[in-house]
Amino acid sequence: MDKLKAVAIDGPAGAGKSTIAKAVSRELGWVYVDTGAMYRAMAVYFLRKGIKADDAEKISAAAGDAFVTLDYVDGAQQVFLNGENVTGELRTEAVGNMASASSVYPAVRTKLVELQRKLAESRPVVMDGRDIGTVVLPDAETKIYLTASVEVRAVRRYKELVEKGETPDINAIAKDIAERDYRDMHRETSPLKQAEDAVLVDSSDLTIPEVIEKILSIVRRSTP
Ligand code: DC
């Protein structure tokens, strides 16, 4: 079977997927697709409508009215929700939590998975998410499962927030990460798990350049 020219990077929240995937895509000259941002754009829609994350019926119905599209400005992914650029609203804890909670519903996933497959069919991509190697692009040439310990991920997030001028509570961040991991790994539809043919990369004790180099060497090995 022909393999798809794509790098699929899956892993838990805060493992550094988007930083690494962006850098890898730049090195390869391929397009970076951040699928988490698509779930976050859907989450913005549900939050604006005041829908509760556990209201399966309302979320499934509203998913039908939310159209997410992507565009690229100077190589940076921009996410549109029903034609409005919502890229600047995606990276809050509230949106992240709603994205994690609402992504359990098949109505939300089916729609976004279809869009993700179309994007990957049209050009070589580096795509990151939770189910890219297992569900979205099972034929991807390279599959990476990028992870790091909860403690390391909490410290990274803590530093990011401090840099933004916030005064976060490290224990609350660690708890939030552990809960999100649990939800992402235990949901019924497309749970986060390592694909059988994915290479495990644990970034806990590696620098960003080391992780990028490691992944590029895996890509070189798997690309004919
Ligand atoms: O990677 P992120 O934190 O931006 O993703 C936000 C949420 O979206 C994450 O908690 C789970 C969901 N998600 C998903 O279910 N499948 C994906 N391929 C990407 C993200």
Side-chain angles (χ1 to χ4, degrees), residues 36-171:
M38 298 180 182
Y39 288 92
R40 285 171 183 265
M42 282 281 215
V44 167
Y45 188 73
F46 304 138
L47 286 170
R48 283 182 184 175
K49 292 228 151 215
I51 300 174
K52 294 252 161 39
D54 59 0
D55 192 335
E57 221 166 282
K58 282 204 179 136
I59 291 218
S60 302
D65 304 325
F67 293 92
V68 176
T69 48
L70 298 187
D71 203 354
Y72 293 85
V73 175
D74 296 331
Q77 177 180 281
Q78 304 292 312
V79 189
F80 295 81
L81 171 65
N82 293 335
E84 176 194 345
N85 190 338
V86 292
T87 313
E89 290 179 43
L90 304 181
R91 310 234 63 93
T92 67
E93 297 302 304
V95 170
N97 286 329
M98 176 54 116
S100 172
S102 58
S103 62
V104 304
Y105 301 113
V108 174
R109 304 205 69 82
T110 311
K111 199 160 174 173
L112 295 182
V113 167
E114 195 184 323
L115 175 63
Q116 290 153 13
R117 286 192 180 135
K118 275 203 190 115
L119 284 166
E121 275 162 19
S122 61
R123 58 205 141 163
V125 294
V126 177
M127 189 178 279
D128 73 2
R130 302 292 189 288
D131 58 341
I132 311 305
T134 50
V135 174
V136 181
L137 308 177
D139 301 331
E141 230 164 47
T142 309
K143 295 184 189 177
I144 308 287
Y145 190 82
L146 182 63
T147 189
S149 68
V150 171
E151 293 73 24
V152 166
R153 286 184 281 141
V155 170
R156 287 178 187 162
R157 183 74 187 132
Y158 175 84
K159 285 185 182 159
E160 262 173 35
L161 293 172
V162 168
E163 265 169 38
K164 279 192 199 165
E166 295 179 28
T167 44
D169 171 356
I170 184 106
N171 294 322

